[in-house]
Amino acid sequence: MKRIRRHLPGVRIRVRLDGGFAHPAVLEFLDAQPKLEYVVAMAKNTVLKCVAESGMRRARQLSRRSGKTEHIYGEVRYKAGKWPGLRRVIIKARSSALPTRTPKTILASSLPT
């Protein structure tokens, strides 16, 4: 981070990480960085799948009508067991018009509250 800041002062940095990096220590480090935005892909869990279900229903409806893959985005405040507090979680519900693809719920944690 210091090298980036030294060579590109004043820029806003965006970081995208896979779910394996959703560890509290990593999130705390990212939270402490000025002018930094981050997104961490998260594994599905029962609570977030339940929250995403209405978006999935809507994405399926749209996909049936359009014959195309459709995406619905939502947002919720959520606290995983090891997180010290609530975080903003963006939910992406995707339904594919292709018969070989199954609907997916993709979850991403982004920016502390």
Side-chain angles (χ1 to χ4, degrees):
M1 294 301 291
K2 288 179 184 177
R3 283 188 197 159
I4 293 170
R5 297 277 182 221
R6 185 172 44 245
H7 293 289
L8 301 166
V11 300
R12 181 172 301 277
I13 299 170
R14 290 189 181 129
V15 177
R16 198 279 189 208
L17 302 168
D18 288 332
F21 293 96
H23 187 276
V26 173
L27 299 178
E28 285 177 32
F29 170 79
L30 295 171
D31 288 343
Q33 303 306 307
K35 294 186 180 180
L36 182 124
E37 297 172 352
Y38 64 89
V39 176
V40 181
M42 294 173 51
K44 296 177 193 175
N45 69 40
T46 305
V47 173
L48 292 175
K49 280 173 67 174
C50 182
V51 171
E53 186 50 41
S54 64
M56 284 302 303
R57 282 194 301 271
R58 183 73 180 130
R60 286 183 197 111
Q61 287 175 336
L62 292 171
S63 185
R64 280 192 296 271
R65 283 189 209 146
S66 70
K68 299 177 182 176
T69 299
E70 299 289 349
H71 301 86
I72 299 292
Y73 296 89
E75 182 178 318
V76 66
R77 300 287 186 233
Y78 173 75
K79 181 186 178 307
K82 294 182 180 180
W83 295 353
L86 291 172
R87 292 188 178 277
R88 176 178 165 220
V89 174
I90 312 269
I91 297 173
K92 175 183 172 185
R94 180 184 81 191
S95 182
S96 175
L98 300 173
T100 57
R101 298 186 79 184
T102 58
K104 284 189 176 179
T105 304
I106 300 170
L107 310 167
S109 170
S110 175
L111 306 176
T113 59

